[in-house]
Short mmCIF file of all heavy atoms in Angstrom, two decimals:
data_model
loop_
_atom_site.label_atom_id
_atom_site.label_comp_id
_atom_site.label_asym_id
_atom_site.label_seq_id
_atom_site.Cartn_x
_atom_site.Cartn_y
_atom_site.Cartn_z
N MET A 1 -1.62 10.36 -11.53
CA MET A 1 -2.85 10.06 -10.89
C MET A 1 -3.80 11.27 -11.09
O MET A 1 -5.04 11.12 -11.26
CB MET A 1 -2.67 9.75 -9.41
CG MET A 1 -3.89 9.50 -8.66
SD MET A 1 -3.75 8.97 -7.00
CE MET A 1 -2.01 9.01 -6.64
N GLU A 2 -3.28 12.50 -11.03
CA GLU A 2 -4.07 13.62 -11.15
C GLU A 2 -4.71 13.83 -12.54
O GLU A 2 -5.65 14.62 -12.67
CB GLU A 2 -3.32 14.92 -10.77
CG GLU A 2 -2.09 15.19 -11.60
CD GLU A 2 -0.87 14.54 -11.06
OE1 GLU A 2 -0.88 13.95 -10.02
OE2 GLU A 2 0.32 14.78 -11.68
N HIS A 3 -4.29 13.10 -13.56
CA HIS A 3 -4.96 13.09 -14.86
C HIS A 3 -5.86 11.96 -15.14
O HIS A 3 -6.45 11.90 -16.21
CB HIS A 3 -3.82 13.13 -15.94
CG HIS A 3 -2.92 14.32 -15.84
ND1 HIS A 3 -3.28 15.64 -16.03
CD2 HIS A 3 -1.60 14.42 -15.42
CE1 HIS A 3 -2.28 16.43 -15.81
NE2 HIS A 3 -1.27 15.74 -15.45
N ASP A 4 -6.05 11.17 -14.12
CA ASP A 4 -6.97 9.92 -14.26
C ASP A 4 -8.39 10.48 -14.06
O ASP A 4 -8.74 10.90 -13.00
CB ASP A 4 -6.58 8.88 -13.27
CG ASP A 4 -7.42 7.61 -13.39
OD1 ASP A 4 -8.49 7.71 -13.98
OD2 ASP A 4 -7.01 6.61 -12.85
N PRO A 5 -9.25 10.31 -15.03
CA PRO A 5 -10.66 10.86 -14.92
C PRO A 5 -11.47 10.06 -13.83
O PRO A 5 -12.50 10.57 -13.31
CB PRO A 5 -11.23 10.70 -16.32
CG PRO A 5 -10.47 9.67 -16.98
CD PRO A 5 -9.05 9.76 -16.46
N GLN A 6 -11.02 8.86 -13.47
CA GLN A 6 -11.66 8.06 -12.41
C GLN A 6 -11.39 8.56 -11.05
O GLN A 6 -12.07 8.26 -10.05
CB GLN A 6 -11.37 6.62 -12.59
CG GLN A 6 -11.85 5.96 -13.86
CD GLN A 6 -13.34 5.99 -14.01
OE1 GLN A 6 -14.08 5.67 -13.08
NE2 GLN A 6 -13.85 6.50 -15.12
N VAL A 7 -10.25 9.30 -10.92
CA VAL A 7 -9.88 9.73 -9.51
C VAL A 7 -10.64 10.99 -9.17
O VAL A 7 -10.55 11.99 -9.85
CB VAL A 7 -8.38 9.94 -9.50
CG1 VAL A 7 -7.96 10.60 -8.18
CG2 VAL A 7 -7.57 8.66 -9.76
N LEU A 8 -11.29 10.94 -8.05
CA LEU A 8 -12.04 12.14 -7.49
C LEU A 8 -11.16 12.97 -6.64
O LEU A 8 -11.09 14.23 -6.76
CB LEU A 8 -13.24 11.68 -6.75
CG LEU A 8 -14.28 10.92 -7.54
CD1 LEU A 8 -15.32 10.28 -6.58
CD2 LEU A 8 -14.93 11.74 -8.60
N GLU A 9 -10.49 12.31 -5.73
CA GLU A 9 -9.46 13.01 -4.80
C GLU A 9 -8.37 12.04 -4.45
O GLU A 9 -8.57 10.80 -4.48
CB GLU A 9 -10.28 13.40 -3.56
CG GLU A 9 -11.39 14.36 -3.69
CD GLU A 9 -12.02 14.63 -2.32
OE1 GLU A 9 -11.37 14.64 -1.29
OE2 GLU A 9 -13.26 14.90 -2.35
N PHE A 10 -7.30 12.52 -4.07
CA PHE A 10 -6.14 11.68 -3.49
C PHE A 10 -5.45 12.46 -2.39
O PHE A 10 -5.37 13.75 -2.40
CB PHE A 10 -5.23 11.10 -4.51
CG PHE A 10 -4.45 12.18 -5.29
CD1 PHE A 10 -3.22 12.49 -4.87
CD2 PHE A 10 -4.95 12.82 -6.40
CE1 PHE A 10 -2.41 13.45 -5.54
CE2 PHE A 10 -4.19 13.73 -7.12
CZ PHE A 10 -2.98 14.10 -6.66
N TYR A 11 -4.95 11.74 -1.47
CA TYR A 11 -4.21 12.42 -0.29
C TYR A 11 -2.87 11.66 -0.16
O TYR A 11 -2.80 10.45 -0.06
CB TYR A 11 -5.01 12.21 1.06
CG TYR A 11 -6.39 12.81 0.83
CD1 TYR A 11 -7.49 12.13 0.36
CD2 TYR A 11 -6.57 14.16 1.12
CE1 TYR A 11 -8.70 12.60 0.27
CE2 TYR A 11 -7.85 14.74 0.94
CZ TYR A 11 -8.93 13.98 0.54
OH TYR A 11 -10.13 14.57 0.44
N ASP A 12 -1.76 12.39 -0.11
CA ASP A 12 -0.45 11.74 0.05
C ASP A 12 -0.13 11.68 1.52
O ASP A 12 -0.56 12.56 2.32
CB ASP A 12 0.60 12.55 -0.75
CG ASP A 12 0.77 13.88 -0.29
OD1 ASP A 12 -0.13 14.53 0.21
OD2 ASP A 12 1.95 14.47 -0.39
N GLN A 13 0.51 10.58 1.91
CA GLN A 13 0.89 10.26 3.29
C GLN A 13 -0.27 10.46 4.24
O GLN A 13 -0.25 11.22 5.20
CB GLN A 13 2.04 11.23 3.67
CG GLN A 13 3.40 11.05 2.90
CD GLN A 13 3.98 9.61 3.14
OE1 GLN A 13 4.34 9.37 4.22
NE2 GLN A 13 4.06 8.87 2.03
N PRO A 14 -1.34 9.66 3.94
CA PRO A 14 -2.50 9.69 4.88
C PRO A 14 -2.20 9.17 6.23
O PRO A 14 -1.08 8.58 6.42
CB PRO A 14 -3.55 8.80 4.16
CG PRO A 14 -2.68 7.86 3.45
CD PRO A 14 -1.53 8.65 2.91
N PRO A 15 -3.02 9.35 7.29
CA PRO A 15 -2.67 8.83 8.58
C PRO A 15 -2.42 7.33 8.62
O PRO A 15 -2.95 6.61 7.78
CB PRO A 15 -4.07 9.12 9.33
CG PRO A 15 -4.75 10.18 8.67
CD PRO A 15 -4.35 9.98 7.17
N PRO A 16 -1.49 6.94 9.45
CA PRO A 16 -1.14 5.50 9.50
C PRO A 16 -2.32 4.68 10.09
O PRO A 16 -3.22 5.14 10.78
CB PRO A 16 0.02 5.42 10.50
CG PRO A 16 -0.07 6.67 11.29
CD PRO A 16 -0.79 7.72 10.40
N PHE A 17 -2.28 3.26 9.76
CA PHE A 17 -3.23 2.46 10.28
C PHE A 17 -2.45 1.13 10.62
O PHE A 17 -1.41 0.84 10.12
CB PHE A 17 -4.39 2.16 9.35
CG PHE A 17 -3.90 1.70 7.96
CD1 PHE A 17 -3.77 0.33 7.70
CD2 PHE A 17 -3.63 2.61 6.95
CE1 PHE A 17 -3.40 -0.14 6.40
CE2 PHE A 17 -3.28 2.15 5.68
CZ PHE A 17 -3.15 0.78 5.49
N LYS A 18 -3.08 0.36 11.43
CA LYS A 18 -2.40 -0.95 11.98
C LYS A 18 -2.69 -2.02 10.96
O LYS A 18 -3.82 -2.24 10.57
CB LYS A 18 -2.86 -1.35 13.33
CG LYS A 18 -2.07 -2.44 13.90
CD LYS A 18 -2.40 -2.69 15.38
CE LYS A 18 -1.48 -3.74 15.92
NZ LYS A 18 -1.72 -3.99 17.31
N ILE A 19 -1.60 -2.70 10.53
CA ILE A 19 -1.77 -3.94 9.70
C ILE A 19 -1.29 -5.07 10.46
O ILE A 19 -0.41 -5.01 11.37
CB ILE A 19 -1.04 -3.76 8.38
CG1 ILE A 19 0.50 -3.60 8.60
CG2 ILE A 19 -1.59 -2.63 7.50
CD1 ILE A 19 1.30 -3.68 7.35
N GLN A 20 -1.91 -6.24 10.23
CA GLN A 20 -1.59 -7.50 10.87
C GLN A 20 -1.42 -8.54 9.74
O GLN A 20 -2.20 -8.64 8.82
CB GLN A 20 -2.66 -7.90 11.84
CG GLN A 20 -2.76 -6.92 13.09
CD GLN A 20 -3.88 -7.31 13.98
OE1 GLN A 20 -4.89 -7.71 13.54
NE2 GLN A 20 -3.56 -7.16 15.28
N TYR A 21 -0.37 -9.36 9.89
CA TYR A 21 -0.05 -10.39 8.92
C TYR A 21 0.85 -11.43 9.58
O TYR A 21 1.37 -11.25 10.72
CB TYR A 21 0.57 -9.87 7.65
CG TYR A 21 1.77 -9.05 7.89
CD1 TYR A 21 3.04 -9.69 7.80
CD2 TYR A 21 1.76 -7.73 8.27
CE1 TYR A 21 4.22 -8.94 7.99
CE2 TYR A 21 2.94 -6.96 8.51
CZ TYR A 21 4.11 -7.63 8.33
OH TYR A 21 5.30 -6.87 8.67
N LYS A 22 1.06 -12.53 8.93
CA LYS A 22 1.98 -13.61 9.38
C LYS A 22 3.36 -13.36 8.77
O LYS A 22 3.42 -13.13 7.53
CB LYS A 22 1.41 -15.01 9.06
CG LYS A 22 0.20 -15.36 9.81
CD LYS A 22 -0.18 -16.81 9.49
CE LYS A 22 -1.52 -17.20 10.21
NZ LYS A 22 -1.44 -17.27 11.65
N ASN A 23 4.40 -13.46 9.59
CA ASN A 23 5.69 -13.42 9.00
C ASN A 23 6.16 -14.72 8.46
O ASN A 23 5.33 -15.63 8.44
CB ASN A 23 6.75 -12.85 10.08
CG ASN A 23 6.90 -13.78 11.21
OD1 ASN A 23 6.49 -15.01 11.17
ND2 ASN A 23 7.56 -13.41 12.26
N GLN A 24 7.38 -14.79 7.94
CA GLN A 24 7.82 -16.02 7.28
C GLN A 24 7.78 -17.24 8.18
O GLN A 24 7.63 -18.29 7.79
CB GLN A 24 9.26 -15.88 6.67
CG GLN A 24 9.17 -14.96 5.46
CD GLN A 24 10.57 -14.74 4.86
OE1 GLN A 24 11.52 -14.54 5.58
NE2 GLN A 24 10.63 -14.77 3.57
N ALA A 25 8.00 -17.05 9.44
CA ALA A 25 7.91 -18.15 10.48
C ALA A 25 6.53 -18.50 10.85
O ALA A 25 6.32 -19.46 11.59
CB ALA A 25 8.64 -17.73 11.69
N GLY A 26 5.47 -17.80 10.33
CA GLY A 26 4.13 -18.05 10.59
C GLY A 26 3.57 -17.33 11.80
O GLY A 26 2.46 -17.64 12.24
N ARG A 27 4.42 -16.50 12.39
CA ARG A 27 4.00 -15.75 13.60
C ARG A 27 3.13 -14.56 13.25
O ARG A 27 3.47 -13.88 12.39
CB ARG A 27 5.23 -15.35 14.36
CG ARG A 27 5.00 -14.69 15.66
CD ARG A 27 6.31 -14.44 16.43
NE ARG A 27 6.11 -13.27 17.23
CZ ARG A 27 6.91 -12.20 17.11
NH1 ARG A 27 7.89 -12.09 16.38
NH2 ARG A 27 6.64 -11.16 17.97
N ASN A 28 2.09 -14.32 14.04
CA ASN A 28 1.25 -13.14 13.74
C ASN A 28 1.95 -11.88 14.27
O ASN A 28 2.39 -11.82 15.45
CB ASN A 28 -0.10 -13.28 14.46
CG ASN A 28 -1.08 -14.27 13.81
OD1 ASN A 28 -1.03 -14.37 12.62
ND2 ASN A 28 -1.83 -15.01 14.64
N ILE A 29 2.11 -10.92 13.42
CA ILE A 29 2.70 -9.65 13.82
C ILE A 29 1.89 -8.44 13.37
O ILE A 29 0.94 -8.64 12.48
CB ILE A 29 4.17 -9.46 13.26
CG1 ILE A 29 4.17 -9.54 11.81
CG2 ILE A 29 4.95 -10.59 13.93
CD1 ILE A 29 5.60 -9.23 11.28
N GLY A 30 2.02 -7.32 13.95
CA GLY A 30 1.34 -6.14 13.50
C GLY A 30 2.12 -4.90 13.84
O GLY A 30 2.96 -4.85 14.73
N HIS A 31 1.91 -3.91 13.02
CA HIS A 31 2.48 -2.57 13.22
C HIS A 31 1.76 -1.51 12.47
O HIS A 31 0.91 -1.78 11.60
CB HIS A 31 3.95 -2.59 12.87
CG HIS A 31 4.25 -2.93 11.40
ND1 HIS A 31 4.24 -1.92 10.43
CD2 HIS A 31 4.49 -4.04 10.79
CE1 HIS A 31 4.48 -2.52 9.29
NE2 HIS A 31 4.62 -3.81 9.51
N TYR A 32 2.08 -0.25 12.69
CA TYR A 32 1.42 0.75 12.05
C TYR A 32 2.18 1.08 10.75
O TYR A 32 3.38 1.09 10.68
CB TYR A 32 1.35 2.08 12.96
CG TYR A 32 0.26 1.89 14.02
CD1 TYR A 32 0.64 1.38 15.18
CD2 TYR A 32 -1.00 2.30 13.70
CE1 TYR A 32 -0.40 1.17 16.15
CE2 TYR A 32 -2.01 2.06 14.63
CZ TYR A 32 -1.67 1.56 15.87
OH TYR A 32 -2.64 1.35 16.80
N HIS A 33 1.43 1.36 9.66
CA HIS A 33 1.91 1.58 8.32
C HIS A 33 1.33 2.85 7.75
O HIS A 33 0.15 3.09 7.91
CB HIS A 33 1.56 0.38 7.46
CG HIS A 33 1.95 0.59 6.02
ND1 HIS A 33 3.28 0.53 5.57
CD2 HIS A 33 1.21 0.85 4.94
CE1 HIS A 33 3.32 0.68 4.27
NE2 HIS A 33 2.10 0.93 3.88
N THR A 34 2.20 3.65 7.11
CA THR A 34 1.62 4.84 6.44
C THR A 34 1.86 4.60 4.94
O THR A 34 2.84 4.53 4.43
CB THR A 34 2.50 6.06 6.85
OG1 THR A 34 2.44 6.30 8.26
CG2 THR A 34 1.96 7.34 6.09
N PRO A 35 0.70 4.44 4.27
CA PRO A 35 0.76 4.22 2.76
C PRO A 35 1.12 5.56 2.08
O PRO A 35 1.12 6.61 2.67
CB PRO A 35 -0.68 3.87 2.47
CG PRO A 35 -1.54 4.45 3.50
CD PRO A 35 -0.69 4.52 4.72
N ASP A 36 1.45 5.41 0.84
CA ASP A 36 1.90 6.53 0.03
C ASP A 36 0.66 7.40 -0.31
O ASP A 36 0.82 8.60 -0.27
CB ASP A 36 2.53 6.05 -1.34
CG ASP A 36 3.91 5.33 -1.08
OD1 ASP A 36 4.63 5.80 0.00
OD2 ASP A 36 4.27 4.46 -1.84
N PHE A 37 -0.46 6.78 -0.62
CA PHE A 37 -1.61 7.56 -1.02
C PHE A 37 -2.97 6.94 -0.52
O PHE A 37 -2.97 5.66 -0.40
CB PHE A 37 -1.72 7.74 -2.57
CG PHE A 37 -0.61 8.49 -3.13
CD1 PHE A 37 0.45 7.75 -3.74
CD2 PHE A 37 -0.73 9.85 -3.23
CE1 PHE A 37 1.52 8.51 -4.35
CE2 PHE A 37 0.35 10.53 -3.86
CZ PHE A 37 1.40 9.82 -4.44
N PHE A 38 -3.95 7.80 -0.28
CA PHE A 38 -5.30 7.32 -0.13
C PHE A 38 -5.99 7.97 -1.31
O PHE A 38 -5.94 9.12 -1.46
CB PHE A 38 -5.87 7.75 1.20
CG PHE A 38 -7.34 7.26 1.35
CD1 PHE A 38 -7.58 5.93 1.58
CD2 PHE A 38 -8.39 8.22 1.30
CE1 PHE A 38 -8.94 5.48 1.72
CE2 PHE A 38 -9.67 7.72 1.38
CZ PHE A 38 -10.01 6.44 1.66
N VAL A 39 -6.67 7.03 -2.07
CA VAL A 39 -7.30 7.51 -3.35
C VAL A 39 -8.81 7.25 -3.31
O VAL A 39 -9.24 6.13 -3.07
CB VAL A 39 -6.66 6.73 -4.56
CG1 VAL A 39 -7.13 7.30 -5.87
CG2 VAL A 39 -5.13 6.89 -4.55
N LEU A 40 -9.57 8.25 -3.79
CA LEU A 40 -11.03 8.08 -3.86
C LEU A 40 -11.32 8.07 -5.38
O LEU A 40 -10.93 9.00 -6.07
CB LEU A 40 -11.73 9.26 -3.23
CG LEU A 40 -11.68 9.40 -1.71
CD1 LEU A 40 -12.22 10.64 -1.19
CD2 LEU A 40 -12.30 8.20 -1.06
N ARG A 41 -11.97 7.08 -5.96
CA ARG A 41 -12.30 6.90 -7.32
C ARG A 41 -13.83 6.78 -7.42
O ARG A 41 -14.45 6.57 -6.41
CB ARG A 41 -11.58 5.70 -7.85
CG ARG A 41 -10.09 5.80 -8.06
CD ARG A 41 -9.59 4.64 -8.81
NE ARG A 41 -8.08 4.88 -9.13
CZ ARG A 41 -7.17 4.63 -8.31
NH1 ARG A 41 -7.40 4.08 -7.18
NH2 ARG A 41 -5.90 4.83 -8.70
N HIS A 42 -14.33 6.89 -8.61
CA HIS A 42 -15.70 6.71 -8.86
C HIS A 42 -16.19 5.31 -8.33
O HIS A 42 -17.37 5.19 -7.94
CB HIS A 42 -16.14 6.93 -10.31
CG HIS A 42 -16.05 8.30 -10.80
ND1 HIS A 42 -17.02 9.26 -10.47
CD2 HIS A 42 -15.13 8.94 -11.58
CE1 HIS A 42 -16.70 10.37 -10.98
NE2 HIS A 42 -15.51 10.23 -11.74
N ASP A 43 -15.40 4.33 -8.44
CA ASP A 43 -15.88 2.96 -8.09
C ASP A 43 -15.33 2.42 -6.73
O ASP A 43 -15.48 1.30 -6.40
CB ASP A 43 -15.41 1.97 -9.25
CG ASP A 43 -13.92 1.91 -9.36
OD1 ASP A 43 -13.09 2.79 -8.88
OD2 ASP A 43 -13.47 1.02 -10.13
N GLY A 44 -14.73 3.32 -5.99
CA GLY A 44 -14.31 2.90 -4.61
C GLY A 44 -13.11 3.74 -4.14
O GLY A 44 -12.73 4.77 -4.68
N ALA A 45 -12.55 3.25 -2.91
CA ALA A 45 -11.44 3.98 -2.33
C ALA A 45 -10.40 2.92 -2.04
O ALA A 45 -10.75 1.72 -1.76
CB ALA A 45 -11.94 4.68 -1.12
N CYS A 46 -9.14 3.35 -2.01
CA CYS A 46 -8.07 2.38 -1.67
C CYS A 46 -6.84 3.16 -1.19
O CYS A 46 -6.66 4.35 -1.41
CB CYS A 46 -7.76 1.59 -2.85
SG CYS A 46 -7.01 2.42 -4.21
N TRP A 47 -5.91 2.38 -0.47
CA TRP A 47 -4.64 2.89 -0.15
C TRP A 47 -3.71 2.39 -1.19
O TRP A 47 -3.83 1.15 -1.60
CB TRP A 47 -4.24 2.35 1.28
CG TRP A 47 -4.96 2.98 2.42
CD1 TRP A 47 -4.59 4.22 3.01
CD2 TRP A 47 -6.04 2.48 3.15
NE1 TRP A 47 -5.48 4.49 4.03
CE2 TRP A 47 -6.30 3.45 4.06
CE3 TRP A 47 -6.86 1.33 2.96
CZ2 TRP A 47 -7.46 3.25 4.96
CZ3 TRP A 47 -7.87 1.18 3.76
CH2 TRP A 47 -8.23 2.07 4.81
N GLU A 48 -2.70 3.17 -1.60
CA GLU A 48 -1.83 2.71 -2.65
C GLU A 48 -0.37 2.97 -2.22
O GLU A 48 0.00 3.98 -1.59
CB GLU A 48 -2.04 3.51 -3.95
CG GLU A 48 -3.36 3.16 -4.60
CD GLU A 48 -3.54 3.80 -6.00
OE1 GLU A 48 -2.60 4.53 -6.52
OE2 GLU A 48 -4.62 3.73 -6.50
N GLU A 49 0.50 1.97 -2.65
CA GLU A 49 1.89 2.03 -2.45
C GLU A 49 2.56 2.36 -3.88
O GLU A 49 2.20 1.55 -4.78
CB GLU A 49 2.47 0.77 -1.88
CG GLU A 49 2.13 0.58 -0.50
CD GLU A 49 2.80 1.54 0.46
OE1 GLU A 49 3.95 1.97 0.24
OE2 GLU A 49 2.22 1.89 1.48
N TRP A 50 3.35 3.37 -3.89
CA TRP A 50 3.93 3.62 -5.22
C TRP A 50 5.47 3.43 -5.07
O TRP A 50 6.15 4.30 -4.55
CB TRP A 50 3.69 5.06 -5.70
CG TRP A 50 2.32 5.24 -6.21
CD1 TRP A 50 1.13 4.69 -5.72
CD2 TRP A 50 1.90 6.15 -7.24
NE1 TRP A 50 0.09 5.14 -6.39
CE2 TRP A 50 0.52 6.02 -7.38
CE3 TRP A 50 2.58 7.00 -8.09
CZ2 TRP A 50 -0.22 6.76 -8.29
CZ3 TRP A 50 1.83 7.75 -9.01
CH2 TRP A 50 0.40 7.56 -9.12
N LYS A 51 5.93 2.24 -5.53
CA LYS A 51 7.29 1.90 -5.45
C LYS A 51 7.73 1.31 -6.77
O LYS A 51 6.93 0.91 -7.54
CB LYS A 51 7.50 0.91 -4.33
CG LYS A 51 7.18 1.43 -3.01
CD LYS A 51 7.52 0.41 -1.94
CE LYS A 51 7.22 0.92 -0.47
NZ LYS A 51 6.70 2.20 -0.20
N THR A 52 9.07 1.25 -7.01
CA THR A 52 9.50 0.62 -8.26
C THR A 52 9.29 -0.89 -8.21
O THR A 52 9.19 -1.49 -7.12
CB THR A 52 11.03 0.82 -8.49
OG1 THR A 52 11.76 0.21 -7.49
CG2 THR A 52 11.33 2.36 -8.51
N VAL A 53 9.19 -1.52 -9.26
CA VAL A 53 8.99 -2.96 -9.44
C VAL A 53 10.15 -3.74 -8.75
O VAL A 53 9.89 -4.66 -7.96
CB VAL A 53 8.85 -3.48 -10.91
CG1 VAL A 53 8.92 -4.94 -11.05
CG2 VAL A 53 7.69 -2.85 -11.55
N LYS A 54 11.33 -3.23 -8.95
CA LYS A 54 12.48 -3.90 -8.21
C LYS A 54 12.36 -3.77 -6.77
O LYS A 54 12.66 -4.75 -6.05
CB LYS A 54 13.77 -3.20 -8.72
CG LYS A 54 15.04 -3.85 -8.32
CD LYS A 54 16.28 -3.12 -8.91
CE LYS A 54 17.57 -3.82 -8.45
NZ LYS A 54 18.71 -3.20 -9.10
N GLU A 55 11.94 -2.63 -6.26
CA GLU A 55 11.82 -2.46 -4.74
C GLU A 55 10.70 -3.34 -4.28
O GLU A 55 10.86 -3.93 -3.20
CB GLU A 55 11.56 -0.93 -4.46
CG GLU A 55 11.60 -0.68 -3.02
CD GLU A 55 11.33 0.83 -2.71
OE1 GLU A 55 11.18 1.62 -3.64
OE2 GLU A 55 11.42 1.22 -1.56
N LEU A 56 9.61 -3.34 -4.91
CA LEU A 56 8.50 -4.23 -4.50
C LEU A 56 8.80 -5.73 -4.58
O LEU A 56 8.41 -6.43 -3.65
CB LEU A 56 7.21 -3.97 -5.42
CG LEU A 56 6.44 -2.70 -5.15
CD1 LEU A 56 5.50 -2.48 -6.22
CD2 LEU A 56 5.86 -2.72 -3.75
N GLU A 57 9.57 -6.21 -5.54
CA GLU A 57 10.02 -7.55 -5.58
C GLU A 57 10.92 -7.93 -4.35
O GLU A 57 10.74 -8.99 -3.79
CB GLU A 57 10.84 -7.85 -6.86
CG GLU A 57 9.88 -7.91 -8.11
CD GLU A 57 10.64 -7.93 -9.41
OE1 GLU A 57 11.91 -7.70 -9.45
OE2 GLU A 57 10.00 -8.19 -10.48
N LYS A 58 11.82 -7.02 -3.99
CA LYS A 58 12.63 -7.21 -2.77
C LYS A 58 11.78 -7.29 -1.57
O LYS A 58 11.99 -8.12 -0.74
CB LYS A 58 13.66 -6.14 -2.67
CG LYS A 58 14.83 -6.18 -3.64
CD LYS A 58 15.77 -5.04 -3.43
CE LYS A 58 16.87 -5.04 -4.49
NZ LYS A 58 17.79 -3.84 -4.26
N LEU A 59 10.81 -6.34 -1.48
CA LEU A 59 9.98 -6.33 -0.25
C LEU A 59 9.04 -7.58 -0.18
O LEU A 59 8.82 -8.15 0.88
CB LEU A 59 9.04 -5.07 -0.29
CG LEU A 59 9.75 -3.76 0.06
CD1 LEU A 59 8.87 -2.61 -0.31
CD2 LEU A 59 10.19 -3.70 1.47
N ALA A 60 8.55 -8.11 -1.36
CA ALA A 60 7.79 -9.32 -1.37
C ALA A 60 8.60 -10.49 -0.93
O ALA A 60 8.05 -11.42 -0.24
CB ALA A 60 7.20 -9.50 -2.76
N GLN A 61 9.87 -10.50 -1.24
CA GLN A 61 10.73 -11.65 -0.86
C GLN A 61 10.91 -11.59 0.68
O GLN A 61 10.95 -12.55 1.39
CB GLN A 61 12.05 -11.72 -1.59
CG GLN A 61 11.90 -12.11 -3.03
CD GLN A 61 13.24 -12.19 -3.68
OE1 GLN A 61 14.24 -11.54 -3.32
NE2 GLN A 61 13.36 -12.91 -4.79
N LYS A 62 11.20 -10.40 1.16
CA LYS A 62 11.55 -10.19 2.51
C LYS A 62 10.25 -10.29 3.47
O LYS A 62 10.36 -10.83 4.55
CB LYS A 62 12.18 -8.80 2.77
CG LYS A 62 12.75 -8.58 4.18
CD LYS A 62 13.50 -7.35 4.21
CE LYS A 62 14.03 -7.12 5.61
NZ LYS A 62 14.84 -5.88 5.73
N TYR A 63 9.16 -9.80 2.97
CA TYR A 63 7.91 -9.84 3.78
C TYR A 63 6.73 -10.35 2.91
O TYR A 63 5.84 -9.64 2.52
CB TYR A 63 7.52 -8.39 4.14
CG TYR A 63 8.54 -7.61 4.89
CD1 TYR A 63 9.22 -6.55 4.29
CD2 TYR A 63 8.94 -7.90 6.22
CE1 TYR A 63 10.24 -5.90 4.99
CE2 TYR A 63 9.80 -7.27 6.90
CZ TYR A 63 10.48 -6.19 6.32
OH TYR A 63 11.47 -5.48 6.98
N PRO A 64 6.77 -11.74 2.67
CA PRO A 64 5.76 -12.29 1.76
C PRO A 64 4.27 -12.17 2.32
O PRO A 64 3.34 -12.12 1.45
CB PRO A 64 6.11 -13.71 1.57
CG PRO A 64 7.00 -14.01 2.77
CD PRO A 64 7.70 -12.66 3.13
N GLY A 65 4.12 -12.04 3.60
CA GLY A 65 2.79 -11.87 4.12
C GLY A 65 2.29 -10.42 4.09
O GLY A 65 1.09 -10.22 4.21
N ARG A 66 3.11 -9.58 3.75
CA ARG A 66 2.84 -8.12 3.69
C ARG A 66 2.70 -7.52 2.30
O ARG A 66 1.84 -6.75 2.01
CB ARG A 66 3.87 -7.36 4.48
CG ARG A 66 3.62 -5.88 4.61
CD ARG A 66 4.60 -5.28 5.58
NE ARG A 66 4.56 -3.75 5.52
CZ ARG A 66 5.41 -2.97 6.11
NH1 ARG A 66 6.38 -3.55 6.92
NH2 ARG A 66 5.26 -1.78 5.97
N TYR A 67 3.67 -7.94 1.41
CA TYR A 67 3.63 -7.54 0.01
C TYR A 67 3.36 -8.68 -0.88
O TYR A 67 4.04 -9.67 -0.90
CB TYR A 67 5.00 -6.85 -0.29
CG TYR A 67 5.23 -5.62 0.41
CD1 TYR A 67 5.89 -5.58 1.64
CD2 TYR A 67 4.85 -4.40 -0.15
CE1 TYR A 67 6.11 -4.35 2.26
CE2 TYR A 67 5.00 -3.20 0.48
CZ TYR A 67 5.69 -3.22 1.69
OH TYR A 67 5.92 -2.01 2.43
N GLN A 68 2.32 -8.57 -1.60
CA GLN A 68 1.85 -9.61 -2.56
C GLN A 68 1.36 -9.03 -3.90
O GLN A 68 0.73 -7.96 -3.87
CB GLN A 68 0.68 -10.40 -1.97
CG GLN A 68 1.03 -11.06 -0.65
CD GLN A 68 -0.14 -11.52 0.00
OE1 GLN A 68 -1.30 -11.59 -0.53
NE2 GLN A 68 0.00 -12.00 1.25
N LYS A 69 1.74 -9.64 -4.97
CA LYS A 69 1.34 -9.16 -6.31
C LYS A 69 -0.13 -9.63 -6.51
O LYS A 69 -0.44 -10.74 -6.22
CB LYS A 69 2.33 -9.73 -7.32
CG LYS A 69 1.97 -9.12 -8.75
CD LYS A 69 3.04 -9.59 -9.71
CE LYS A 69 2.75 -9.00 -11.09
NZ LYS A 69 3.74 -9.39 -12.02
N THR A 70 -0.93 -8.66 -6.91
CA THR A 70 -2.31 -8.98 -7.27
C THR A 70 -2.64 -8.51 -8.63
O THR A 70 -1.89 -7.63 -9.18
CB THR A 70 -3.31 -8.38 -6.27
OG1 THR A 70 -3.14 -6.98 -6.32
CG2 THR A 70 -3.09 -8.91 -4.89
N ALA A 71 -3.75 -8.99 -9.20
CA ALA A 71 -4.12 -8.54 -10.59
C ALA A 71 -4.74 -7.12 -10.37
O ALA A 71 -5.31 -6.79 -9.47
CB ALA A 71 -5.19 -9.47 -11.13
N VAL A 72 -4.43 -6.34 -11.45
CA VAL A 72 -4.91 -4.97 -11.41
C VAL A 72 -6.37 -4.88 -12.02
O VAL A 72 -6.68 -5.56 -12.85
CB VAL A 72 -4.02 -4.05 -12.32
CG1 VAL A 72 -4.55 -2.61 -12.37
CG2 VAL A 72 -2.66 -4.06 -11.76
#
């Protein structure tokens, strides 16, 4: 990330924030989450999780309302 010319700044382990989503049973739940990075780029800002594909696939199966694959 530090070699990406689009990245202006990044912060590892930024402060936690509350996320809310539906669990597999459809129940609304929420808890505090600490993402891996908060990244400022020329075109915006985002929180990022940096995990292996295998780990993300397991998390998506276990928590489908929380981990979802999106287009890059």
